[in-house]
């Protein structure tokens, strides 16, 4: 199944939870989605990808989600909603612009999700870009997850890039991302409600502003702090978002370091 070059717009309020839950634009249910792609679309609320079965042992060719705009801050959703319910194994998510909302990608499942590759995306004004919630007595969590070469603008409403909520993150790699902090004191990884991180790495990221890079349970190294928000990392800072706004200028330190979504 390939969904592409479309515009999917819905009433922001769905029928779940007496209209309090955000609406769903597209939903796939299955134990795997080999050969499926969603690309070049404008989507203004939740894309729901769910495996309802006992799936940790099921591994397959990743579904690809790329070059889309998830516009939760847009005129219809008005900031109400979130972009992707990613309660599946094996997904490659790249080249997307995530504009606002409570989260960009979340595992709501009581079971662990494996094999996400999240790279070269741009995230703006999202409370928790990557979120793992434990919705059962035990379970949930993320394993074998790659989060690399993303550009993340974080303001006062942002809690963290990743939140591990009552679940376990294992072998998560957070590398070569650029974090632009324009307000507040967000974290690279927020661990709450008894969550934990193990055998994970947080390294070679570039950040400006007040970002908490401490991640208990992870190996944290070589994260580079810019001197100030206005001078570093020398992005274009004009025109449309995400491009050319977040594109580094020729003198940006990100270009030589190959850091961020738009550095190559």
């Amino acid at each position: 199944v390939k969904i592409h070059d479309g515009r999917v717009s819905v009433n922001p309020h769905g029928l779940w939870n007496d209209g309090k839950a955000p609406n769903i634009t597209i939903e796939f249910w299955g134990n795997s989605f080999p050969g499926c792609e969603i690309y070049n679309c404008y989507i203004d609320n939740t894309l729901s990808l769910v495996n309802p079965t006992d799936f940790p042992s099921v591994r397959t060719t990743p579904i690809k989600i790329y070059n889309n705009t998830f516009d939760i801050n847009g005129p219809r959703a008005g900031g109400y909603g979130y972009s992707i319910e990613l309660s599946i194994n094996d997904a490659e998510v790249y080249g997307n612009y995530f504009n606002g909302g409570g989260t960009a990608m979340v595992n709501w499942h009581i079971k662990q999700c494996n094999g996400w590759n999240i790279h070269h995306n741009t995230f703006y004004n999202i409370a928790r870009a990557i979120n793992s919630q434990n919705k059962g007595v035990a379970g949930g969590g993320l394993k074998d997850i790659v989060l690399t070469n993303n550009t993340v603008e974080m303001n006062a409403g942002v809690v963290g890039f990743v939140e591990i909520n009552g679940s376990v993150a294992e072998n998560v790699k957070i590398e070569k991302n650029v974090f632009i902090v324009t307000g507040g004191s967000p974290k690279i990884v927020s661990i709450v409600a008894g969550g934990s991180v193990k055998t994970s790495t947080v390294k070679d990221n570039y950040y400006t502003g007040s970002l908490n890079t401490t991640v208990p349970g992870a190996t944290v190294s070589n994260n580079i702090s810019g001197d100030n928000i206005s001078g570093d990392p020398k992005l274009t800072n004009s025109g449309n978002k995400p491009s050319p706004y977040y594109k580094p200028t020729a003198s940006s330190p990100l270009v030589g370091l190959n850091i961020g979504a738009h550095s190559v």
Side-chain angles (χ1 to χ4, degrees):
V1 175
K2 295 185 180 182
I3 298 175
H4 60 93
D5 296 284
R7 182 182 180 93
V8 188
S9 181
V10 297
N11 186 323
H13 296 275
L15 298 180
W16 288 90
N17 196 22
D18 297 322
K20 297 178 183 178
N23 212 346
I24 293 173
T25 59
I26 301 166
E27 184 164 50
F28 284 7
W29 275 49
N31 62 8
S32 63
F33 309 97
C36 293
E37 299 182 11
I38 300 172
Y39 60 95
N40 293 350
C41 290
Y42 173 96
I43 299 170
D44 66 12
N45 227 301
T46 303
L47 165 63
S48 177
L49 303 172
V50 178
N51 185 332
T53 64
D54 186 11
F55 66 83
S57 62
V58 176
R59 305 302 300 272
T60 185
T61 303
I63 185 172
K64 293 187 176 184
I65 304 164
Y66 59 98
N67 297 349
N68 302 286
T69 295
F70 293 91
D71 197 10
I72 310 301
N73 271 345
R76 191 161 194 192
Y80 183 80
Y82 63 95
S83 296
I84 305 178
E85 178 182 11
L86 200 59
S87 295
I88 61 171
N89 287 334
D90 302 310
E92 185 179 10
V93 183
Y94 61 97
N96 302 283
Y97 178 42
F98 294 93
N99 182 26
T103 188
M105 282 161 272
V106 57
N107 173 22
W108 292 122
H109 214 300
I110 63 172
K111 298 181 177 69
Q112 186 182 68
C113 289
N114 303 269
W116 295 358
N117 185 3
I118 314 299
H119 63 93
H120 292 92
N121 301 283
T122 303
F123 301 88
Y124 170 72
N125 189 23
I126 303 171
R128 302 159 183 85
I130 312 297
N131 198 352
S132 178
Q133 297 269 347
N134 182 3
K135 292 297 182 180
V137 176
L142 303 173
K143 185 177 181 181
D144 301 335
I145 306 298
V146 176
L147 304 167
T148 185
N149 282 99
N150 300 288
T151 295
V152 187
E153 183 171 344
M154 312 167 92
N155 65 10
V158 176
V159 174
F161 177 52
V162 178
E163 181 169 280
I164 305 301
N165 187 335
S167 57
V168 178
E170 182 177 357
N171 192 29
V172 175
K173 297 180 180 179
I174 304 174
E175 302 175 1
K176 292 201 169 188
N177 304 286
V178 57
F179 299 98
I180 306 161
V181 180
T182 58
S185 298
K187 299 178 178 181
I188 286 186
V189 179
S190 172
I191 304 172
V192 297
S196 64
V197 174
K198 60 182 181 179
T199 59
S200 296
T201 58
V202 180
K203 68 177 185 178
D204 300 329
N205 300 287
Y206 189 99
Y207 65 96
T208 65
S210 181
L211 180 69
N212 188 333
T213 60
T214 302
V215 185
T219 299
V220 180
S221 63
N222 197 37
N223 295 292
I224 305 164
S225 174
D227 292 334
N228 56 71
I229 294 172
S230 61
D232 290 302
K234 297 183 180 178
L235 304 179
T236 301
N237 289 328
S238 63
N240 293 328
K241 292 182 178 180
S243 183
Y245 189 92
Y246 294 108
K247 188 175 179 63
T249 62
S251 60
S252 170
L254 302 181
V255 176
L257 296 171
N258 188 25
I259 292 177
H262 307 276
S263 61
V264 293

